[in-house]
Amino acid sequence: MNTARQTSWVLGPAHGPIDADVSKRIDVLRLILIALVVIGHGYRVVSAMVPDPGTGIRVVVAIFNENITHAAIPLFFIISGFLFLRKFDLSVEAYVTMCRKKLFSLLIPYLFFNLIWILWLYFVGSIDMFGSKTFLLQEGIFIKLFGIGTVPINYPLWFLRDLLLVYLISPVLLVYYKESPLVGVVTFFALWVILGSENSYSLYGNMFAFYMGGLLSRYELNIRDSGSLDKYVFPGFLLATAILLFHNELGMVQYIYMFLFKCNMLLGVVFFWCLSRYSFVKNSKLLHVGATYSFFIYLTHEPTLSWLQSRLLTVYQPHGSLSRIAYFFGSGIALMFLLGAVGAILSRIAPGVYAVATGARKRR
């Protein structure tokens, strides 16, 4: 047996500090990716309440919602895996400590921002494009609170549910790191492609992305100097997206299309990582300040976005492609500024409540 080869496959945690440049890029990406999610969710109201949205908005949504924004979730999981798995150790003590921390940082915000809207629907009334008491009772309060077998009542929070599940099974990922990391890459990618074949997002895909993030940190791969990739990634992602837009016209069968779509999601991950290298992004004060409140924006953007867009449509009906596109993007961006300001105010006037609601530690 090759002892040197066997030893190289047994990895310990990466205890060194994260490169300062990489850390800054991760910080700004937090707000950029939240923006993709928030703006993307805004099309629900446009499609349901604007009669005949028009060709222009449909093309924009096909490019933005149905392709570009799909890179956000795997990149979130890659970042989470990169930050967490670089130091997490395979021991009972470390696992128990991790579970206790995630109880406060993820589970409490998840339950709180589901429960608050369950109580609203039950005792106050329905919310346009979000839910009603009848819907809640039909689905089951317990089911919609925890998101068991379905999305939770606050549907964007399915991400937190899956992230919690991935944290719980993280020791399995460490076993792969220690014994056969490349087999882990193939295994989790195959699970995503085969068992999660019908959907772009699935727990299998999230496991794969989380695993890849940890692998990058434990092998200490150079993700800082990504400039050489720009000339391939930027045109490649745009070209692949354009081709996938016409998958029906090209006669792609569904399973081939979904495989290529998932590959393009990963190419989109590299696209946004390369984009974050540029100074106007990496050093943006607005993005760094906004990143501080990005988790609060994510937790509260629904049903606030649905409510805001519905109210806007009662006083203004966008006509023409340009006005509808402006409404689609503008309402999402405006909401992010609004919720960012609310988060900043709450963190100052009620720091303890804000800390608990967002799973953060109160500053001493």
Side-chain angles (χ1 to χ4, degrees):
M1 179 180 293
N2 189 331
T3 306
R5 181 177 178 83
Q6 182 185 24
T7 304
S8 69
W9 282 54
V10 180
L11 301 176
H15 290 292
I18 297 175
D19 181 88
D21 183 86
V22 171
S23 182
K24 289 178 67 174
R25 291 163 70 175
I26 289 175
D27 195 48
V28 297
L29 280 172
R30 287 162 58 195
L31 188 65
I32 292 174
L33 298 181
I34 288 294
L36 294 178
V37 172
V38 172
I39 296 171
H41 286 163
Y43 186 63
R44 295 169 63 251
V45 173
V46 177
S47 61
M49 303 187 72
V50 175
D52 187 22
T55 303
I57 186 67
R58 289 197 185 98
V59 171
V60 168
V61 167
I63 297 172
F64 183 76
N65 265 35
E66 298 173 12
N67 285 277
I68 293 177
T69 61
H70 281 254
I73 297 301
L75 184 47
F76 266 129
F77 273 94
I78 287 174
I79 290 173
S80 298
F82 180 85
L83 297 175
F84 173 72
L85 289 171
R86 62 184 281 106
K87 290 188 176 181
F88 184 53
D89 195 14
L90 191 60
S91 69
V92 174
E93 181 181 2
Y95 184 74
V96 171
T97 300
M98 179 272 292
C99 289
R100 184 174 64 251
K101 289 181 178 179
K102 299 309 173 186
L103 169 69
F104 291 100
S105 64
L106 294 179
L107 184 59
I108 289 179
Y110 176 78
L111 294 178
F112 178 79
F113 284 98
N114 275 319
L115 182 61
I116 191 174
W117 296 118
I118 285 177
L119 294 175
W120 181 284
L121 295 177
Y122 193 89
F123 292 106
V124 179
S126 62
I127 301 174
D128 289 341
M129 303 301 300
F130 186 74
S132 64
K133 182 177 180 179
T134 301
F135 169 76
L136 175 64
L137 295 177
Q138 286 176 344
E139 294 290 313
I141 293 176
F142 182 84
I143 296 296
K144 299 305 285 185
L145 173 62
F146 288 93
I148 301 173
T150 182
V151 292
I153 192 68
N154 193 351
Y155 72 91
L157 300 192
W158 69 263
F159 168 82
L160 286 188
R161 178 202 60 196
D162 278 20
L163 185 58
L164 279 165
L165 292 174
V166 173
Y167 277 124
L168 290 177
I169 63 173
S170 56
V172 176
L173 308 185
L174 289 183
V175 172
Y176 274 100
Y177 289 149
K178 291 180 179 296
E179 299 298 332
S180 188
L182 298 182
V183 172
V185 173
V186 175
T187 299
F188 293 119
F189 182 73
L191 288 173
W192 181 30
V193 170
I194 298 171
L195 298 184
S197 59
E198 295 301 317
N199 301 303
S200 54
Y201 302 137
S202 69
L203 181 59
Y204 305 110
N206 298 335
M207 288 168 56
F208 168 73
F210 195 82
Y211 182 87
M212 288 301 299
L215 199 67
L216 290 173
S217 63
R218 285 181 171 258
Y219 269 103
E220 299 182 343
L221 298 179
N222 181 13
I223 61 174
R224 180 181 186 275
D225 301 322
S226 59
S228 61
L229 299 176
D230 292 1
K231 60 184 177 182
Y232 305 108
V233 172
F234 290 152
F237 179 57
L238 297 178
L239 177 61
T241 298
I243 292 174
L244 290 173
L245 287 174
F246 297 97
H247 66 278
N248 286 326
E249 290 77 3
L250 294 173
M252 289 187 192
V253 294
Q254 182 64 15
Y255 69 89
I256 294 295
Y257 165 69
M258 287 306 302
F259 173 77
L260 294 177
F261 186 89
K262 290 173 181 178
C263 291
N264 197 44
M265 287 172 65
L266 299 179
L267 185 58
V269 166
V270 184
F271 172 89
F272 282 106
W273 182 251
C274 289
L275 182 66
S276 69
R277 181 180 68 86
Y278 289 87
S279 180
F280 72 93
V281 178
K282 180 175 61 179
N283 297 321
S284 169
K285 291 184 179 179
L286 177 63
L287 292 178
H288 282 290
V289 172
T292 306
Y293 308 103
S294 60
F295 191 47
F296 178 80
I297 294 171
Y298 159 72
L299 291 169
T300 57
H301 81 272
E302 280 291 9
T304 318
L305 179 62
S306 296
W307 177 86
L308 175 65
Q309 288 186 315
S310 300
R311 298 289 78 77
L312 286 175
L313 288 175
T314 63
V315 297
Y316 169 71
Q317 279 284 337
H319 297 285
S321 293
L322 289 179
S323 63
R324 287 165 181 163
I325 293 170
Y327 170 83
F328 171 58
F329 286 100
S331 57
I333 293 172
L335 181 77
M336 291 190 65
F337 276 100
L338 174 63
L339 292 178
V342 171
I345 293 170
L346 288 177
S347 67
R348 284 160 177 76
I349 65 175
V353 175
Y354 180 84
V356 172
T358 59
R361 294 181 179 180
K362 182 180 176 181
R363 295 179 184 176
R364 295 183 182 274

